[in-house]
PDB file of all heavy atoms in Angstrom:
ATOM      1  N   GLY B 237       0.803  -1.244  -0.002  1.00 96.00           N
ATOM      2  CA  GLY B 237       0.031   0.002  -0.003  1.00 96.00           C
ATOM      3  C   GLY B 237       0.841   1.217  -0.021  1.00 96.00           C
ATOM      4  O   GLY B 237       0.554   2.213  -0.684  1.00 96.00           O
ATOM      5  N   THR B 238       1.935   1.285   0.769  1.00 96.00           N
ATOM      6  CA  THR B 238       2.816   2.416   0.829  1.00 96.00           C
ATOM      7  C   THR B 238       3.556   2.640  -0.513  1.00 96.00           C
ATOM      8  O   THR B 238       3.652   3.734  -1.004  1.00 96.00           O
ATOM      9  CB  THR B 238       3.861   2.213   1.962  1.00 96.00           C
ATOM     10  OG1 THR B 238       3.204   2.023   3.213  1.00 96.00           O
ATOM     11  CG2 THR B 238       4.767   3.463   2.056  1.00 96.00           C
ATOM     12  N   GLY B 239       3.928   1.513  -1.109  1.00 96.00           N
ATOM     13  CA  GLY B 239       4.592   1.604  -2.373  1.00 96.00           C
ATOM     14  C   GLY B 239       3.708   2.156  -3.513  1.00 96.00           C
ATOM     15  O   GLY B 239       4.101   2.996  -4.339  1.00 96.00           O
ATOM     16  N   LEU B 240       2.410   1.754  -3.503  1.00 95.00           N
ATOM     17  CA  LEU B 240       1.454   2.274  -4.470  1.00 95.00           C
ATOM     18  C   LEU B 240       1.232   3.744  -4.250  1.00 95.00           C
ATOM     19  O   LEU B 240       1.263   4.570  -5.263  1.00 95.00           O
ATOM     20  CB  LEU B 240       0.084   1.520  -4.290  1.00 95.00           C
ATOM     21  CG  LEU B 240      -0.954   2.024  -5.335  1.00 95.00           C
ATOM     22  CD1 LEU B 240      -0.647   1.657  -6.741  1.00 95.00           C
ATOM     23  CD2 LEU B 240      -2.311   1.337  -4.905  1.00 95.00           C
ATOM     24  N   ALA B 241       1.071   4.167  -2.993  1.00 94.00           N
ATOM     25  CA  ALA B 241       0.825   5.565  -2.747  1.00 94.00           C
ATOM     26  C   ALA B 241       2.033   6.448  -3.134  1.00 94.00           C
ATOM     27  O   ALA B 241       1.878   7.534  -3.793  1.00 94.00           O
ATOM     28  CB  ALA B 241       0.490   5.789  -1.236  1.00 94.00           C
ATOM     29  N   ALA B 242       3.270   5.983  -2.847  1.00 94.00           N
ATOM     30  CA  ALA B 242       4.457   6.706  -3.173  1.00 94.00           C
ATOM     31  C   ALA B 242       4.730   6.679  -4.675  1.00 94.00           C
ATOM     32  O   ALA B 242       5.094   7.752  -5.254  1.00 94.00           O
ATOM     33  CB  ALA B 242       5.662   6.177  -2.446  1.00 94.00           C
ATOM     34  N   GLY B 243       4.506   5.541  -5.248  1.00 93.00           N
ATOM     35  CA  GLY B 243       4.810   5.401  -6.725  1.00 93.00           C
ATOM     36  C   GLY B 243       3.975   6.299  -7.614  1.00 93.00           C
ATOM     37  O   GLY B 243       4.409   6.845  -8.633  1.00 93.00           O
ATOM     38  N   LEU B 244       2.689   6.401  -7.206  1.00 89.00           N
ATOM     39  CA  LEU B 244       1.781   7.219  -8.038  1.00 89.00           C
ATOM     40  C   LEU B 244       1.546   8.600  -7.463  1.00 89.00           C
ATOM     41  O   LEU B 244       0.812   9.428  -8.028  1.00 89.00           O
ATOM     42  CB  LEU B 244       0.387   6.556  -8.115  1.00 89.00           C
ATOM     43  CG  LEU B 244       0.370   5.154  -8.787  1.00 89.00           C
ATOM     44  CD1 LEU B 244      -1.057   4.609  -8.799  1.00 89.00           C
ATOM     45  CD2 LEU B 244       0.885   5.246 -10.176  1.00 89.00           C
ATOM     46  N   GLY B 245       2.254   8.915  -6.367  1.00 90.00           N
ATOM     47  CA  GLY B 245       2.129  10.279  -5.753  1.00 90.00           C
ATOM     48  C   GLY B 245       0.666  10.527  -5.342  1.00 90.00           C
ATOM     49  O   GLY B 245       0.227  11.660  -5.550  1.00 90.00           O
ATOM     50  N   LEU B 246       0.032   9.528  -4.751  1.00 89.00           N
ATOM     51  CA  LEU B 246      -1.386   9.676  -4.376  1.00 89.00           C
ATOM     52  C   LEU B 246      -1.564  10.630  -3.155  1.00 89.00           C
ATOM     53  O   LEU B 246      -0.851  10.570  -2.233  1.00 89.00           O
ATOM     54  CB  LEU B 246      -2.011   8.319  -4.106  1.00 89.00           C
ATOM     55  CG  LEU B 246      -2.017   7.331  -5.276  1.00 89.00           C
ATOM     56  CD1 LEU B 246      -2.622   6.078  -4.829  1.00 89.00           C
ATOM     57  CD2 LEU B 246      -2.694   7.884  -6.459  1.00 89.00           C
ATOM     58  N   ALA B 247      -2.578  11.510  -3.238  1.00 86.00           N
ATOM     59  CA  ALA B 247      -2.854  12.389  -2.167  1.00 86.00           C
ATOM     60  C   ALA B 247      -3.723  11.767  -1.139  1.00 86.00           C
ATOM     61  O   ALA B 247      -4.966  11.915  -1.122  1.00 86.00           O
ATOM     62  CB  ALA B 247      -3.549  13.697  -2.718  1.00 86.00           C
ATOM     63  N   VAL B 248      -3.132  10.990  -0.193  1.00 90.00           N
ATOM     64  CA  VAL B 248      -3.822  10.333   0.851  1.00 90.00           C
ATOM     65  C   VAL B 248      -3.242  10.736   2.209  1.00 90.00           C
ATOM     66  O   VAL B 248      -2.181  11.238   2.281  1.00 90.00           O
ATOM     67  CB  VAL B 248      -3.774   8.789   0.676  1.00 90.00           C
ATOM     68  CG1 VAL B 248      -4.488   8.333  -0.561  1.00 90.00           C
ATOM     69  CG2 VAL B 248      -2.303   8.291   0.695  1.00 90.00           C
ATOM     70  N   LYS B 249      -4.019  10.504   3.243  1.00 90.00           N
ATOM     71  CA  LYS B 249      -3.533  10.802   4.609  1.00 90.00           C
ATOM     72  C   LYS B 249      -2.464   9.858   5.004  1.00 90.00           C
ATOM     73  O   LYS B 249      -2.570   8.660   4.772  1.00 90.00           O
ATOM     74  CB  LYS B 249      -4.659  10.760   5.581  1.00 90.00           C
ATOM     75  CG  LYS B 249      -5.764  11.855   5.363  1.00 90.00           C
ATOM     76  CD  LYS B 249      -6.871  11.644   6.375  1.00 90.00           C
ATOM     77  CE  LYS B 249      -8.019  12.669   6.105  1.00 90.00           C
ATOM     78  NZ  LYS B 249      -9.133  12.480   7.049  1.00 90.00           N
ATOM     79  N   HIS B 250      -1.414  10.357   5.690  1.00 92.00           N
ATOM     80  CA  HIS B 250      -0.354   9.544   6.166  1.00 92.00           C
ATOM     81  C   HIS B 250      -0.305   9.554   7.743  1.00 92.00           C
ATOM     82  O   HIS B 250      -0.891  10.439   8.287  1.00 92.00           O
ATOM     83  CB  HIS B 250       0.966   9.959   5.585  1.00 92.00           C
ATOM     84  CG  HIS B 250       1.189   9.658   4.180  1.00 92.00           C
ATOM     85  ND1 HIS B 250       0.522  10.318   3.191  1.00 92.00           N
ATOM     86  CD2 HIS B 250       1.976   8.696   3.567  1.00 92.00           C
ATOM     87  CE1 HIS B 250       0.843   9.767   1.973  1.00 92.00           C
ATOM     88  NE2 HIS B 250       1.686   8.832   2.170  1.00 92.00           N
ATOM     89  N   VAL B 251       0.360   8.620   8.292  1.00 90.00           N
ATOM     90  CA  VAL B 251       0.544   8.546   9.712  1.00 90.00           C
ATOM     91  C   VAL B 251       1.386   9.776  10.193  1.00 90.00           C
ATOM     92  O   VAL B 251       2.334  10.170   9.584  1.00 90.00           O
ATOM     93  CB  VAL B 251       1.297   7.249  10.110  1.00 90.00           C
ATOM     94  CG1 VAL B 251       1.667   7.243  11.649  1.00 90.00           C
ATOM     95  CG2 VAL B 251       0.455   6.083   9.820  1.00 90.00           C
ATOM     96  N   GLN B 252       0.973  10.393  11.320  1.00 87.00           N
ATOM     97  CA  GLN B 252       1.707  11.520  11.862  1.00 87.00           C
ATOM     98  C   GLN B 252       2.344  11.017  13.121  1.00 87.00           C
ATOM     99  O   GLN B 252       1.707  10.539  14.064  1.00 87.00           O
ATOM    100  CB  GLN B 252       0.719  12.655  12.140  1.00 87.00           C
ATOM    101  CG  GLN B 252       0.030  13.221  10.922  1.00 87.00           C
ATOM    102  CD  GLN B 252       1.029  13.795   9.939  1.00 87.00           C
ATOM    103  OE1 GLN B 252       1.941  14.573  10.346  1.00 87.00           O
ATOM    104  NE2 GLN B 252       0.953  13.554   8.727  1.00 87.00           N
ATOM    105  N   VAL B 253       3.678  11.161  13.234  1.00 84.00           N
ATOM    106  CA  VAL B 253       4.462  10.725  14.325  1.00 84.00           C
ATOM    107  C   VAL B 253       5.284  11.929  14.833  1.00 84.00           C
ATOM    108  O   VAL B 253       5.931  12.532  14.034  1.00 84.00           O
ATOM    109  CB  VAL B 253       5.330   9.520  14.042  1.00 84.00           C
ATOM    110  CG1 VAL B 253       6.152   9.072  15.244  1.00 84.00           C
ATOM    111  CG2 VAL B 253       4.580   8.372  13.503  1.00 84.00           C
ATOM    112  N   PRO B 254       5.216  12.158  16.138  1.00 83.00           N
ATOM    113  CA  PRO B 254       5.968  13.365  16.591  1.00 83.00           C
ATOM    114  C   PRO B 254       7.526  13.113  16.443  1.00 83.00           C
ATOM    115  O   PRO B 254       7.968  11.994  16.406  1.00 83.00           O
ATOM    116  CB  PRO B 254       5.688  13.416  18.089  1.00 83.00           C
ATOM    117  CG  PRO B 254       4.382  12.679  18.304  1.00 83.00           C
ATOM    118  CD  PRO B 254       4.408  11.679  17.179  1.00 83.00           C
ATOM    119  N   ALA B 255       8.204  14.170  16.165  1.00 78.00           N
ATOM    120  CA  ALA B 255       9.725  14.077  15.983  1.00 78.00           C
ATOM    121  C   ALA B 255      10.381  13.446  17.221  1.00 78.00           C
ATOM    122  O   ALA B 255      11.426  12.864  17.140  1.00 78.00           O
ATOM    123  CB  ALA B 255      10.305  15.431  15.630  1.00 78.00           C
ATOM    124  N   SER B 256       9.806  13.740  18.419  1.00 81.00           N
ATOM    125  CA  SER B 256      10.387  13.208  19.701  1.00 81.00           C
ATOM    126  C   SER B 256       9.334  12.312  20.324  1.00 81.00           C
ATOM    127  O   SER B 256       8.170  12.710  20.431  1.00 81.00           O
ATOM    128  CB  SER B 256      10.754  14.413  20.559  1.00 81.00           C
ATOM    129  OG  SER B 256      11.000  13.907  21.873  1.00 81.00           O
ATOM    130  N   LEU B 257       9.708  11.177  20.744  1.00 81.00           N
ATOM    131  CA  LEU B 257       8.864  10.248  21.473  1.00 81.00           C
ATOM    132  C   LEU B 257       8.341  10.920  22.729  1.00 81.00           C
ATOM    133  O   LEU B 257       7.168  10.735  23.097  1.00 81.00           O
ATOM    134  CB  LEU B 257       9.549   8.919  21.775  1.00 81.00           C
ATOM    135  CG  LEU B 257       8.710   7.848  22.421  1.00 81.00           C
ATOM    136  CD1 LEU B 257       7.571   7.452  21.444  1.00 81.00           C
ATOM    137  CD2 LEU B 257       9.520   6.649  22.790  1.00 81.00           C
ATOM    138  N   ALA B 258       9.183  11.666  23.420  1.00 83.00           N
ATOM    139  CA  ALA B 258       8.707  12.293  24.668  1.00 83.00           C
ATOM    140  C   ALA B 258       7.596  13.270  24.405  1.00 83.00           C
ATOM    141  O   ALA B 258       6.745  13.449  25.249  1.00 83.00           O
ATOM    142  CB  ALA B 258       9.958  13.016  25.284  1.00 83.00           C
ATOM    143  N   ALA B 259       7.561  13.849  23.191  1.00 82.00           N
ATOM    144  CA  ALA B 259       6.517  14.809  22.919  1.00 82.00           C
ATOM    145  C   ALA B 259       5.146  14.157  22.764  1.00 82.00           C
ATOM    146  O   ALA B 259       4.093  14.785  22.825  1.00 82.00           O
ATOM    147  CB  ALA B 259       6.846  15.519  21.624  1.00 82.00           C
ATOM    148  N   SER B 260       5.099  12.792  22.549  1.00 84.00           N
ATOM    149  CA  SER B 260       3.898  12.108  22.374  1.00 84.00           C
ATOM    150  C   SER B 260       3.317  11.575  23.665  1.00 84.00           C
ATOM    151  O   SER B 260       2.241  11.052  23.750  1.00 84.00           O
ATOM    152  CB  SER B 260       4.051  10.926  21.437  1.00 84.00           C
ATOM    153  OG  SER B 260       4.978   9.983  21.955  1.00 84.00           O
ATOM    154  N   ILE B 261       4.101  11.733  24.777  1.00 90.00           N
ATOM    155  CA  ILE B 261       3.630  11.292  26.099  1.00 90.00           C
ATOM    156  C   ILE B 261       2.685  12.371  26.712  1.00 90.00           C
ATOM    157  O   ILE B 261       3.130  13.550  26.822  1.00 90.00           O
ATOM    158  CB  ILE B 261       4.769  11.025  27.024  1.00 90.00           C
ATOM    159  CG1 ILE B 261       5.624   9.849  26.482  1.00 90.00           C
ATOM    160  CG2 ILE B 261       4.315  10.780  28.460  1.00 90.00           C
ATOM    161  CD1 ILE B 261       6.886   9.563  27.298  1.00 90.00           C
ATOM    162  N   ALA B 262       1.516  11.970  27.025  1.00 90.00           N
ATOM    163  CA  ALA B 262       0.532  12.953  27.568  1.00 90.00           C
ATOM    164  C   ALA B 262       0.066  12.446  28.949  1.00 90.00           C
ATOM    165  O   ALA B 262      -1.044  11.892  29.042  1.00 90.00           O
ATOM    166  CB  ALA B 262      -0.658  13.168  26.645  1.00 90.00           C
ATOM    167  N   ALA B 263       0.881  12.609  29.939  1.00 93.00           N
ATOM    168  CA  ALA B 263       0.525  12.199  31.279  1.00 93.00           C
ATOM    169  C   ALA B 263      -0.672  12.925  31.818  1.00 93.00           C
ATOM    170  O   ALA B 263      -0.748  14.118  31.627  1.00 93.00           O
ATOM    171  CB  ALA B 263       1.721  12.344  32.201  1.00 93.00           C
ATOM    172  N   PRO B 264      -1.617  12.183  32.411  1.00 95.00           N
ATOM    173  CA  PRO B 264      -2.778  12.914  33.002  1.00 95.00           C
ATOM    174  C   PRO B 264      -2.420  13.809  34.169  1.00 95.00           C
ATOM    175  O   PRO B 264      -1.502  13.423  34.910  1.00 95.00           O
ATOM    176  CB  PRO B 264      -3.714  11.769  33.388  1.00 95.00           C
ATOM    177  CG  PRO B 264      -2.784  10.608  33.555  1.00 95.00           C
ATOM    178  CD  PRO B 264      -1.696  10.801  32.596  1.00 95.00           C
ATOM    179  N   ALA B 265      -2.999  14.953  34.213  1.00 94.00           N
ATOM    180  CA  ALA B 265      -2.809  15.824  35.368  1.00 94.00           C
ATOM    181  C   ALA B 265      -3.549  15.315  36.562  1.00 94.00           C
ATOM    182  O   ALA B 265      -4.483  14.500  36.464  1.00 94.00           O
ATOM    183  CB  ALA B 265      -3.269  17.250  35.047  1.00 94.00           C
ATOM    184  N   LEU B 266      -3.189  15.723  37.762  1.00 93.00           N
ATOM    185  CA  LEU B 266      -3.811  15.263  38.974  1.00 93.00           C
ATOM    186  C   LEU B 266      -5.299  15.532  38.976  1.00 93.00           C
ATOM    187  O   LEU B 266      -6.095  14.693  39.358  1.00 93.00           O
ATOM    188  CB  LEU B 266      -3.198  15.986  40.171  1.00 93.00           C
ATOM    189  CG  LEU B 266      -3.529  15.399  41.515  1.00 93.00           C
ATOM    190  CD1 LEU B 266      -3.174  13.938  41.686  1.00 93.00           C
ATOM    191  CD2 LEU B 266      -2.883  16.228  42.690  1.00 93.00           C
ATOM    192  N   GLY B 267      -5.671  16.697  38.425  1.00 94.00           N
ATOM    193  CA  GLY B 267      -7.090  16.997  38.368  1.00 94.00           C
ATOM    194  C   GLY B 267      -7.949  16.129  37.445  1.00 94.00           C
ATOM    195  O   GLY B 267      -9.144  15.978  37.589  1.00 94.00           O
ATOM    196  N   ASP B 268      -7.237  15.479  36.478  1.00 95.00           N
ATOM    197  CA  ASP B 268      -7.913  14.628  35.506  1.00 95.00           C
ATOM    198  C   ASP B 268      -8.468  13.398  36.188  1.00 95.00           C
ATOM    199  O   ASP B 268      -9.447  12.756  35.740  1.00 95.00           O
ATOM    200  CB  ASP B 268      -7.032  14.180  34.386  1.00 95.00           C
ATOM    201  CG  ASP B 268      -6.572  15.364  33.482  1.00 95.00           C
ATOM    202  OD1 ASP B 268      -7.334  16.327  33.419  1.00 95.00           O
ATOM    203  OD2 ASP B 268      -5.504  15.289  32.850  1.00 95.00           O
ATOM    204  N   PHE B 269      -7.911  12.946  37.320  1.00 96.00           N
ATOM    205  CA  PHE B 269      -8.357  11.771  38.042  1.00 96.00           C
ATOM    206  C   PHE B 269      -9.724  11.944  38.755  1.00 96.00           C
ATOM    207  O   PHE B 269     -10.290  11.001  39.208  1.00 96.00           O
ATOM    208  CB  PHE B 269      -7.278  11.336  39.060  1.00 96.00           C
ATOM    209  CG  PHE B 269      -6.078  10.700  38.346  1.00 96.00           C
ATOM    210  CD1 PHE B 269      -4.985  11.442  37.979  1.00 96.00           C
ATOM    211  CD2 PHE B 269      -6.069   9.337  38.101  1.00 96.00           C
ATOM    212  CE1 PHE B 269      -3.891  10.863  37.430  1.00 96.00           C
ATOM    213  CE2 PHE B 269      -4.934   8.729  37.567  1.00 96.00           C
ATOM    214  CZ  PHE B 269      -3.864   9.512  37.160  1.00 96.00           C
ATOM    215  N   ALA B 270     -10.152  13.190  38.781  1.00 95.00           N
ATOM    216  CA  ALA B 270     -11.501  13.495  39.370  1.00 95.00           C
ATOM    217  C   ALA B 270     -12.608  12.754  38.604  1.00 95.00           C
ATOM    218  O   ALA B 270     -13.644  12.540  39.162  1.00 95.00           O
ATOM    219  CB  ALA B 270     -11.756  14.971  39.419  1.00 95.00           C
ATOM    220  N   VAL B 271     -12.328  12.472  37.331  1.00 96.00           N
ATOM    221  CA  VAL B 271     -13.335  11.764  36.544  1.00 96.00           C
ATOM    222  C   VAL B 271     -13.693  10.385  37.163  1.00 96.00           C
ATOM    223  O   VAL B 271     -14.800   9.896  36.937  1.00 96.00           O
ATOM    224  CB  VAL B 271     -12.822  11.631  35.081  1.00 96.00           C
ATOM    225  CG1 VAL B 271     -11.781  10.569  34.990  1.00 96.00           C
ATOM    226  CG2 VAL B 271     -13.944  11.221  34.123  1.00 96.00           C
ATOM    227  N   LEU B 272     -12.803   9.821  37.914  1.00 96.00           N
ATOM    228  CA  LEU B 272     -12.994   8.485  38.465  1.00 96.00           C
ATOM    229  C   LEU B 272     -14.031   8.520  39.644  1.00 96.00           C
ATOM    230  O   LEU B 272     -14.445   7.488  40.093  1.00 96.00           O
ATOM    231  CB  LEU B 272     -11.723   7.881  38.948  1.00 96.00           C
ATOM    232  CG  LEU B 272     -10.651   7.569  37.911  1.00 96.00           C
ATOM    233  CD1 LEU B 272      -9.405   7.104  38.578  1.00 96.00           C
ATOM    234  CD2 LEU B 272     -11.180   6.566  36.896  1.00 96.00           C
ATOM    235  N   LEU B 273     -14.447   9.713  40.041  1.00 95.00           N
ATOM    236  CA  LEU B 273     -15.443   9.864  41.060  1.00 95.00           C
ATOM    237  C   LEU B 273     -16.842   9.467  40.499  1.00 95.00           C
ATOM    238  O   LEU B 273     -17.806   9.283  41.239  1.00 95.00           O
ATOM    239  CB  LEU B 273     -15.522  11.271  41.627  1.00 95.00           C
ATOM    240  CG  LEU B 273     -14.224  11.691  42.350  1.00 95.00           C
ATOM    241  CD1 LEU B 273     -14.312  13.190  42.801  1.00 95.00           C
ATOM    242  CD2 LEU B 273     -13.951  10.806  43.592  1.00 95.00           C
TER     243      LEU B 273
END
């Protein structure tokens, strides 16, 4: 599938990955745990 999209230059959505793995970590804030009530 990737080869077909690249070979024909198809305008399709691609996976977006942050340049830094640390940037993709979204630790919940303390206040977010209130939802468990």
Side-chain angles (χ1 to χ4, degrees):
T238 302
L240 178 67
L244 297 180
L246 300 179
V248 295
K249 295 178 182 176
H250 287 74
V251 172
Q252 298 296 315
V253 181
S256 166
L257 184 62
S260 62
I261 295 175
L266 189 60
D268 293 335
F269 286 89
V271 72
L272 295 176
L273 297 175

